[in-house]
Amino acid sequence: IAGKSTVDEEVLDQLEEALIGADVGLDTTIEIIKRIEDRVARDKYVNTSELNSILQDEIRAMLVVSPENSYKDFSTPAGKKPYVILVVGVNGVGKTTTIGKLAYNFTKAGKNVLLGAADTFRAAAVDQLTIWSDRTGVPIVKQPMGSDPGAVAFDTVQSGVARGSDVIIIDTAGRLHNKIYLMEELGKIKRVVQKVIPDAPHEVLLVLDGSTGQNAVEQAKQFTAATDVTALAITKLDGTAKGGVVLAIANQFKIPVKFIGVGEKMEDLLIFDKHEFVDSLFK
Amino acid sequence: SLSERLEGAFKNLKGEAKITELNIAATVKEIRRALVDADVNYKIAKEFTDKVKDIALGTKVINAVSPGQLMTKIVKDELANLMGGTESSFNITGNPAVILIAGLQGSGKTTFSGKLANYLKSKGKSPLLVAADIYRPAAIDQLMVLGGQVGVEVYSERENKNAVEIAQNAIKEARAKNKNVVIIDTAGRLAVDEVMMTEVANIKSAVNPHEILFVVDSMTGQDAVNTAKAFNERLDFSGVVLTKLDGDTRGGAALSIKYTVEKPIKFVSSGEKLDTLDVFYPERMAQRILG
Ligand SMILES: Nc1nc2c(ncn2[C@@H]2O[C@H](COP(=O)(O)OP(=O)(O)OP(=O)(O)O)[C@@H](O)[C@H]2O)c(=O)[nH]1
Ligand SMILES: Nc1nc2c(ncn2[C@@H]2O[C@H](COP(=O)(O)OP(=O)(O)OP(=O)(O)O)[C@@H](O)[C@H]2O)c(=O)[nH]1
Ligand SMILES: [Mg+2]
Ligand SMILES: [Mg+2]
């Protein structure tokens, strides 16, 4: 059978609508469609399921997943102890809850975890993380509200080194990336951590709300400029939002998604799987 | 800017020429692109630009105004019209007046409740805040801190796992203590969570609110239509609050929501401090969405 070497306009329109509807964004959608057209021109396709697998293939290719830095089994790299994770992101995305989930999972994997409550600004932020520390049975370093977040981070890392923690997770206050002084504060927290452990933080985890639109790209850009983001977590994917904006971010900044949040309980965290993610974009 | 890009699309049109189907095609595409980039829902962006096209067709291009500028003006006016339109009131007469706050997780409801209490107090009301989020860790503590910061009492029942009861008891408390406005903060919930949507619908039927405000994060993307529709179907809310407008998101979700549920945007929140509650300005929002 001679295969088709171009895709029908109608199919392309449907694809464009599905991708944009998933928050993939115009530019990235146009790029995906171009890649598919090039691929089809070269390899041809016989039926819709072949076309679908070409589509899924091209989208997966955009997602960055390097095996050495995935958290399969919640293991941490040998020789990096304590392994320090700094959690950042704009307001209300799910940083504190994600930290609770990470604490639970690392503990289940046999790691000694220590939490740092470096959000000393938002009402009851320390109380909130303390409840997660109680729930997961993981120790927490905290100071009174209004304390310098850099001081809490410093305190936490020093304490983690002293007690032989395997993993240290530092919570920070939500902040909008266009607030220069708040982004500078984040840079300062990072430098303070480096004073204790020169190659820490080993992971700067930017948490994104799964229902955020194209502004997430700007968030990735600005947070990377301030602290060199090394991984993404996408939360609230248990709702109807698809989180497609991570494709635009992967395409532009090559930052890997490592975790997805699928609920509010400590068990509701999944290691990012690009096959499942691409499948869900089209459900 | 959009008007510069539209200018480019119109570069061969001058003088007494009319806007026609031919010379408008590229422009309509640019406008739709700008809206989708701003997170306006894909389908709504198409319907909106079709409407703008109809308004523009046949319009004469006067010498003093460039076609690009004219087009931008039509788009901006139409956007502002869509988002402002109805004069929006705020019903706080009742014994007590009851305001129910609802929305997705993390949208800014608790912070907004504190701001609203502060605002109403400055208008001479005696508000009572109600901590009806029985799920989120330290939710009650959070509202109590905010209440403390603005000098407004917070009603809570730490041991009660029934949000409907807490809301009902709060109304009784308000009457006993001469509080004339009750602001009920509720837990963030997903529109697809049947149990939680039933809970908030039950709170509504139990306390009969004078105002039900749907609090939404202004950086929400294409999903804004789905959640607004679902919350409106269950609650028939009376107004929308857009939060985190101090960010740099274009905020197209505002248009998508207004277009879909046709409920007024009553307040905007543009900061974390409790004095940053603002009135919604449709023309400013239109300008922002267009970038
Ligand atoms: N449904 C759902 N809700 C989530 C998820 N992750 C977090 N949440 C909820 O989102 C809300 C905000 O979570 P937080 O952990 O307080 O967010 P945050 O980023 O720490 O917020 P700030 O510190 O105020 O910036 C809470 O109600 C969480 O329960 C998720 O994966 N799914
Ligand atoms: N920059 C900014 N931050 C805001 C605004 N409104 C709320 N926030 C912040 O957003 C985060 C979430 O606010 P909350 O009031 O806890 O949100 P919520 O809807 O009550 O969250 P849940 O109860 O978990 O659903 C906090 O860090 C707030 O300080 C705003 O207008 N601007
Ligand atoms: Mg937090
Ligand atoms: Mg809340």
Side-chain angles (χ1 to χ4, degrees), chain B residues 190-260:
Chain B
L190 293 177
V192 291
D193 186 333
E194 190 44 41
V195 171
M196 288 299 279
M197 290 307 281
T198 300
E199 176 193 83
V200 72
N202 288 342
I203 295 177
K204 174 186 177 180
S205 14
V207 303
N208 234 323
H210 299 76
E211 288 280 348
I212 302 177
L213 299 177
F214 178 56
V215 177
V216 68
D217 191 323
S218 59
M219 53 183 127
T220 309
Q222 299 286 311
D223 197 49
V225 168
N226 301 331
T227 54
K229 222 189 250 164
F231 271 78
N232 198 36
E233 273 163 22
R234 295 305 291 267
L235 297 178
D236 187 19
F237 50 77
S238 55
V240 174
V241 179
L242 284 177
T243 64
K244 308 177 201 171
L245 271 177
D246 45 323
D248 57 10
T249 188
R250 304 249 302 265
L255 174 66
S256 304
I257 293 172
K258 184 87 208 295
Y259 196 93
T260 306

Side-chain angles (χ1 to χ4, degrees), chain A residues 92-211:
Chain A
V93 295
K95 297 177 292 301
T96 305
T97 307
T98 299
I99 292 172
K101 296 171 181 178
L102 288 172
Y104 166 72
N105 279 288
F106 278 120
T107 301
K108 213 160 60 112
K111 305 282 177 193
N112 287 317
V113 182
L114 177 66
L115 301 182
D119 176 357
T120 52
F121 169 75
R122 205 214 66 213
V126 176
D127 296 325
Q128 186 186 3
L129 191 64
T130 301
I131 291 176
W132 283 109
S133 120
D134 293 337
R135 281 181 184 176
T136 56
V138 153
I140 179 171
V141 169
K142 53 185 166 178
Q143 290 180 17
M145 287 301 273
S147 308
D148 173 39
V152 180
F154 186 83
D155 211 5
T156 307
V157 183
Q158 269 202 329
S159 168
V161 170
R163 49 197 304 163
S165 306
D166 296 307
V167 184
I168 296 176
I169 314 175
I170 303 174
D171 193 9
T172 61
R175 66 202 66 223
L176 292 180
H177 50 281
N178 55 326
K179 308 224 163 153
I180 309 212
Y181 63 102
L182 289 180
M183 297 309 279
E184 286 178 346
E185 177 185 83
L186 211 50
K188 175 162 167 280
I189 293 174
K190 184 182 179 194
R191 285 193 297 279
V192 147
V193 167
Q194 280 168 343
K195 283 208 192 112
V196 187
I197 302 178
D199 57 283
H202 303 94
E203 187 87 284
V204 176
L205 181 67
L206 173 63
V207 181
L208 299 172
D209 184 318
S211 64

Side-chain angles (χ1 to χ4, degrees), chain B residues 110 133 142 185:
Chain B
T110 304
D133 177 352
Q142 185 184 5
D185 180 25

Side-chain angles (χ1 to χ4, degrees), chain B:
Chain B
S1 72
L2 181 68
S3 81
E4 286 164 350
R5 294 210 302 279
L6 296 190
E7 200 53 60
F10 264 134
K11 55 182 184 296
N12 297 317
L13 202 64
K14 30 182 185 298
E16 283 290 306
K18 277 212 197 112
I19 292 184
T20 67
E21 286 279 356
L22 276 175
N23 55 40
I24 209 172
T27 324
V28 167
K29 198 156 178 281
E30 271 305 320
I31 296 167
R32 191 178 315 162
R33 194 199 161 88
L35 293 175
V36 171
D37 274 345
D39 290 326
V40 174
N41 177 271
Y42 188 67
K43 289 198 185 78
I44 291 173
K46 176 155 195 334
E47 286 179 31
F48 178 81
T49 47
D50 285 346
K51 175 145 199 259
V52 159
K53 183 167 99 178
D54 290 341
I55 294 173
L57 281 177
T59 308
K60 272 191 170 182
V61 181
I62 314 157
N63 269 321
V65 174
S66 75
Q69 282 175 358
L70 176 66
M71 220 30 214
T72 308
K73 174 151 181 15
I74 292 174
V75 174
K76 232 200 271 165
D77 288 350
E78 197 45 33
L79 261 182
N81 241 341
L82 248 171
M83 286 199 296
T86 58
E87 181 48 50
S88 104
S89 59
F90 195 56
N91 180 9
I92 43 173
T93 50
N95 182 28
V98 179
I99 304 171
L100 181 61
I101 310 291
L104 279 91
Q105 288 89 345
S107 60
K109 300 175 292 302
T110 304
T111 308
F112 173 72
S113 300
K115 291 182 183 188
L116 184 60
N118 190 37
Y119 171 77
L120 292 174
K121 186 174 170 207
S122 73
K123 293 273 176 257
K125 293 286 182 181
S126 357
L128 177 69
L129 282 163
V130 183
D133 177 352
I134 56 178
Y135 309 95
R136 172 176 158 146
I140 297 176
D141 302 301
Q142 185 184 5
L143 194 62
M144 300 210 65
V145 170
L146 298 181
Q149 287 174 357
V150 299
V152 169
E153 216 175 296
V154 177
Y155 181 82
S156 64
E157 293 182 37
R158 278 187 190 274
E159 297 311 313
N160 195 342
K161 289 299 163 214
N162 185 332
V164 177
E165 260 180 36
I166 295 173
Q168 288 170 315
N169 293 343
I171 310 279
K172 294 197 193 102
E173 173 91 349
R175 290 200 185 104
K177 293 195 160 172
N178 286 321
K179 303 288 186 189
N180 52 22
V181 186
V182 172
I183 300 167
I184 306 174
D185 180 25
T186 62
R189 66 202 67 227
L190 293 177
V192 291
D193 186 333
E194 190 44 41
V195 171
M196 288 299 279
M197 290 307 281
T198 300
E199 176 193 83
V200 72
N202 288 342
I203 295 177
K204 174 186 177 180
S205 14
V207 303
N208 234 323
H210 299 76
E211 288 280 348
I212 302 177
L213 299 177
F214 178 56
V215 177
V216 68
D217 191 323
S218 59
M219 53 183 127
T220 309
Q222 299 286 311
D223 197 49
V225 168
N226 301 331
T227 54
K229 222 189 250 164
F231 271 78
N232 198 36
E233 273 163 22
R234 295 305 291 267
L235 297 178
D236 187 19
F237 50 77
S238 55
V240 174
V241 179
L242 284 177
T243 64
K244 308 177 201 171
L245 271 177
D246 45 323
D248 57 10
T249 188
R250 304 249 302 265
L255 174 66
S256 304
I257 293 172
K258 184 87 208 295
Y259 196 93
T260 306
V261 303
E262 297 180 312
K263 296 287 169 74
I265 297 171
K266 296 203 172 187
F267 295 102
V268 305
S269 173
S270 50
E272 290 189 80
K273 301 238 167 67
L274 298 179
D275 58 0
T276 51
L277 182 68
D278 297 313
V279 155
F280 172 66
Y281 291 107
E283 308 80 17
R284 278 194 212 166
M285 196 71 210
Q287 179 64 53
R288 178 179 183 137
I289 289 176
L290 289 178

